[in-house]
Amino acid sequence: MTDKFLFIKSYGCQMNVYDSDRMKDLFINKGYKITNDISKANLTILNTCHIREKAVQKVYSDIGRIKKLKNDKKNMKLVVAGCVAQAEGIEIKKRAPTVDFVVGPQSYHKLPDMINKIEEPLNSDFLQNEKFKNLIYNSSKISSEFISIQEGCDKFCSFCVVPYTRGPEFSRPIDDIINETKKYLSNGVKEIILLGQNVNAYHGNSTDGKSRDLSYLINTIAEIDEVKRIRYMTSHPIDMTDSLIKVHASNPKLMPFLHLPIQSGSDSILKKMNRKHTVSDYLKIVDKIRTIRPDIAISSDFIVGFPDETDEDFEKTMKFIEKVNFVIAYSFTYSPRPGTPAQHKDNIDQSIKKARLSALQSLLTEQQLNYNKSFINKDMEVLFEKEGRYKNQFIGRTIYNQSTFIESNEKILNKILKVKITNSTNFALECQI
Ligand code: SAH
Ligand code: SF4
Ligand code: F3S
């Protein structure tokens, strides 16, 4: 029998990375080998993102390129999975007939059967429960592993596609998460990153049938000896409970890093965004967490040029950033998305959006640069996760989630080592043992 090869490309967030790993595991179980060379592939999966228009354009331009390859190589099948698949469904096949299968993020466990023609070639059902029960969890990672613990969103921010593409909020039972964690630990993994679009809304059942929150889950995972580090993302301000904040002080395995998107520093824009929190709610959370864990690293997401955003609103966002001082943040110009409440009013000029984004990013970069600089000559603990691009180069993460580069002749992969920081940029640190 000749080998069958799977090529898979992941777009968008870390939950898609996790899903891509699960799809790999499903097909490895069916005898496939994974390839990084698409020209070798019998099966190509594009695990797509719908969050901004640009992300969707990227997918269609990739499909265009793959179409040529498919014409030369008649036995390749093309799957569109992920959030574009969910949002556009059958429309994808109308626009790009070269696509053979379309499967959403909550039904991809059916993909092997779809390809074997046991199931229909299109599935966009929300089957969260069934999906997690039918996935295969074989990690290839050695030091740090993602685990999706929560899916979907019930918050319906007016700009966002996630509630439509990932479906309603769903939390996995605690036992399932612990079993998956143990599987990865047996490969030597030391760090567990708990994922969810609204991870701090987690409310999974424990074996006694009681619903438990994220702080309980973190403490339960931390009881396992082999787990050395725990992280979670992405959180929403309204679910940042006191019990979760407290774990940052009481549990040394929980890393001092919090990704907490706000989107805007203006209350009137937050209201139009349907964010359900104010700037002062956010600042209260920052105060509380910095009181009990002063060194906590806080990051965020921002959207500029949301409909009706005035210069004054934007100035409020800049002032807010100055006040909080973020260690890193992601920022985007507003992109109107089909099916969302805000889609019809995109009334800020592209040039204004770009100018605001550039001003905001300079401020954030400056904060990030200063933050990283403050670590020079200090000792830090770093978990080395992978090899770098150059010989003897390794890349790891500090407890504050900074990328850290090192040159070493020793075997340091998957070790947590105390290092001295020697240099820094806005996006990374350099160190020596
Ligand atoms: N669940 C996370 C965010 C998921 S999307 C949360 O609640 O914060 C990741 C980021 O993409 C968002 O935080 C937002 O900043 C950005 N984003 C989402 N929709 C967008 C849109 N229509 N235009 C521009 N940026 C958007
Ligand atoms: Fe989107 Fe808002 Fe839900 Fe985050 S909380 S996933 S931004 S709808
Ligand atoms: Fe994109 Fe879907 Fe993630 S829209 S950001 S891949 S949840």
Side-chain angles (χ1 to χ4, degrees):
M1 220 176 82
T2 53
D3 283 334
K4 290 181 288 183
F5 289 96
L6 164 67
F7 174 89
I8 182 160
K9 177 171 174 181
S10 219
Y11 309 69
C13 66
Q14 278 144 335
M15 302 205 61
N16 260 11
V17 175
Y18 175 86
D19 291 342
S20 293
D21 282 348
R22 298 291 75 73
M23 285 187 246
K24 281 181 200 169
D25 288 343
L26 284 171
F27 283 99
I28 289 170
N29 192 47
K30 298 282 177 199
Y32 280 75
K33 294 199 163 116
I34 307 300
T35 179
N36 291 324
D37 175 3
I38 188 167
S39 68
K40 261 173 84 178
N42 310 90
L43 180 65
T44 292
I45 303 176
L46 304 180
N47 194 17
T48 62
C49 173
H50 199 247
I51 203 81
R52 283 169 292 273
E53 179 58 29
K54 258 200 201 131
V56 180
Q57 282 165 358
K58 232 198 274 170
V59 173
Y60 278 103
S61 77
D62 284 351
I63 293 175
R65 262 189 302 255
I66 293 166
K67 186 180 169 191
K68 293 197 192 88
L69 199 75
K70 269 188 86 184
N71 289 343
D72 302 340
K73 193 175 183 298
K74 298 273 180 257
N75 68 345
M76 187 206 276
K77 296 285 179 215
L78 176 59
V79 178
V80 174
C83 290
V84 176
Q86 189 68 38
E88 298 190 359
I90 193 73
E91 293 303 313
I92 297 175
K93 278 168 82 105
K94 287 190 188 150
R95 189 167 155 188
T98 190
V99 172
D100 300 292
F101 303 95
V102 176
V103 70
Q106 308 303 2
S107 52
Y108 65 80
H109 58 293
K110 290 191 179 281
L111 200 47
D113 282 348
M114 287 164 70
I115 284 157
N116 284 327
K117 302 198 164 76
I118 299 167
E119 293 268 353
E120 293 296 310
L122 181 133
N123 196 316
S124 55
D125 296 338
F126 289 132
L127 306 171
Q128 286 88 330
N129 213 345
E130 178 187 315
K131 177 184 79 173
F132 281 111
K133 285 197 181 105
N134 286 284
L135 289 178
I136 293 172
Y137 305 96
N138 276 329
S139 162
S140 55
K141 308 253 175 61
I142 52 158
S143 59
S144 177
E145 190 52 90
F146 295 129
I147 301 186
S148 280
I149 62 161
Q150 181 278 337
E151 286 258 7
C153 179
D154 295 337
K155 303 235 170 24
F156 293 93
C157 300
S158 63
F159 52 81
C160 183
V161 293
V162 171
Y164 314 97
T165 62
R166 292 270 166 175
E169 220 178 272
F170 170 82
S171 295
R172 295 175 65 192
I174 299 227
D175 263 16
D176 290 10
I177 297 165
I178 297 294
N179 288 339
E180 191 178 337
T181 303
K182 286 185 176 158
K183 212 153 180 197
Y184 300 149
L185 293 173
S186 68
N187 291 351
V189 162
K190 292 193 166 64
E191 177 181 80
I192 298 293
I193 307 175
L194 305 172
L195 295 181
Q197 275 89 13
N198 261 268
V199 74
N200 60 340
Y202 177 83
H203 57 272
N205 280 352
S206 59
T207 33
D208 58 12
K210 276 197 189 130
S211 161
R212 304 289 191 174
D213 66 4
L214 183 60
S215 62
Y216 182 95
L217 177 66
I218 290 170
N219 285 330
T220 309
I221 294 176
E223 280 169 18
I224 307 171
D225 239 15
E226 293 87 342
V227 175
K228 305 297 176 203
R229 289 179 162 196
I230 302 171
R231 302 182 189 276
Y232 62 95
M233 64 193 308
T234 293
S235 297
H236 190 287
I238 66 170
D239 296 313
M240 211 59 221
T241 57
D242 287 347
S243 70
L244 180 57
I245 290 174
K246 272 190 201 133
V247 191
H248 277 282
S250 64
N251 199 320
K253 289 187 181 178
L254 182 60
M255 293 293 101
F257 179 86
L258 173 64
H259 182 57
L260 192 65
I262 184 162
Q263 316 300 354
S264 167
S266 157
D267 281 341
S268 86
I269 295 296
L270 288 178
K271 195 152 190 220
K272 287 177 180 150
M273 286 177 162
N274 191 30
R275 283 290 292 181
K276 304 179 176 82
H277 60 80
T278 61
V279 173
S280 114
D281 294 335
Y282 191 100
L283 292 173
K284 272 182 209 144
I285 297 167
V286 171
D287 262 1
K288 271 190 199 167
I289 199 157
R290 280 185 175 155
T291 305
I292 60 160
R293 183 77 212 220
D295 65 333
I296 187 107
I298 300 176
S299 82
S300 200
D301 291 349
F302 295 91
I303 296 176
V304 299
F306 188 78
D308 297 337
E309 186 188 65
T310 61
D311 285 340
E312 206 189 341
D313 291 319
F314 179 67
E315 268 318 302
K316 285 182 182 164
T317 301
M318 294 291 276
K319 288 260 148 59
F320 167 81
I321 293 172
E322 277 167 19
K323 195 163 188 173
V324 177
N325 209 352
F326 291 98
V327 301
I328 189 173
Y330 304 90
S331 48
F332 316 93
T333 55
Y334 171 65
S335 167
R337 307 304 298 125
T340 60
Q343 78 173 108
H344 295 297
K345 202 175 184 190
D346 184 20
N347 59 4
I348 307 296
D349 247 34
Q350 203 54 33
S351 61
I352 295 178
K353 280 185 186 173
K354 281 197 176 141
R356 285 180 188 163
L357 186 69
S358 147
L360 183 130
Q361 288 183 337
S362 319
L363 176 59
L364 289 168
T365 306
E366 190 190 312
Q367 293 190 341
Q368 208 175 329
L369 206 74
N370 287 337
Y371 180 69
N372 286 344
K373 232 190 233 166
S374 71
F375 290 93
I376 293 181
N377 289 327
K378 285 199 178 137
D379 290 341
M380 297 261 264
E381 274 192 358
V382 172
L383 169 58
F384 289 96
E385 295 171 7
K386 55 185 178 197
E387 287 177 19
R389 231 190 296 167
Y390 306 107
K391 196 169 172 254
N392 292 340
Q393 189 190 47
F394 299 91
I395 309 173
R397 286 193 177 271
T398 65
I399 57 172
Y400 307 110
N401 210 33
Q402 296 142 300
S403 257
T404 311
F405 290 76
I406 195 167
E407 252 177 62
S408 171
N409 297 319
E410 283 158 57
K411 288 191 175 140
I412 60 169
L413 268 189
N414 199 20
K415 286 193 179 145
I416 296 176
L417 299 173
K418 193 166 246 175
V419 298
K420 188 176 270 321
I421 305 303
T422 53
N423 211 343
S424 75
T425 63
N426 61 326
F427 58 87
L429 304 175
E430 282 170 36
C431 67
Q432 286 172 353
I433 293 174

